Amino acid sequence: EYILSERLPQQDLRNGWFPHLQDQLLPGEMITWIALYDKGRCIAAQTRKRLYWEHSQLTSSGVTGYSGANMTINRKDVHEMCEKAVKSVDQKPNGAIGADMVIDTDGTPKITEIQSSRFYTSTYPLALLGLNFPHLYVECARGSQLDAHDSINPCEEGMIYIQRFGA
C-alpha cells in the first residue's frame, strides 16, 4: 500500500488535490469506490455508500473497518475523481484499487484513503449483484481481453446488503 499524499506531485497538493484530501473526521456520508485495473485500463468499478460500521461500539471513534450495511450507488463525479487520483499516483495501475471518502456538507466528495492490492469485504455481495471482481481479476491474469463498456457501476443502484461478523 502507499499513502496518496506522499506520492502526489507538489503542485497538485498546492493547487489541485488539497481540497479533496482530508485528515479530519467529517460528519457526511461515507462512500467507497473499488476498481480493477489491467495495465492502466479500468476494467470495472463500483461505488457504494456505507450505512453503518459493524461493531462500532468497540472503538472510541466508532470506525472499525467493517461495514455493517452498504448501498450501491452511481455517482459519476466520485468515479471520475477516483480515476484522476489513481492516475496521478500511477499512470498504469494494475490490480484492485479502492478509495474511501466522505461527502461534505456541500455534497462534495473528499478522499480520505486510497488502498491498493486488495478487495474489500463487500466483494462477495457485489458478485451476487452481478459484479464478480475475483472472476475479472483471474481473467485479467489469464490475458483475456475484457470490454469495460458496461462495467462502471454496473450493480443496480439502491441495493442494500448487510454484512455480519462474529459478535
Side-chain angles (χ1 to χ4, degrees), residues 2 10 20 22 33-34 40 46 48 50 53 67 70 78 82 91 107 117 120 122 147 150 152:
Y2 48 80
Q10 289 301 312
H20 300 288
Q22 292 293 322
W33 173 85
I34 181 75
Q46 181 63 51
R48 63 183 168 91
R50 182 177 291 110
W53 292 103
S67 298
N70 298 286
V78 166
C82 290
Q91 290 295 310
S117 304
Y120 294 115
S122 60
D147 181 18
D150 291 322
I152 306 303

Side-chain angles (χ1 to χ4, degrees), residues 11 22 26 34-35 38 49 59 74 106 109-110 113 123 139 144 147-148:
Q11 68 272 15
Q22 292 293 322
L26 296 175
I34 181 75
D38 184 32
K49 176 169 57 172
T59 66
N74 182 354
D106 296 329
K110 305 284 186 173
E113 181 178 14
T123 301
E139 289 302 311
S144 300
D147 181 18

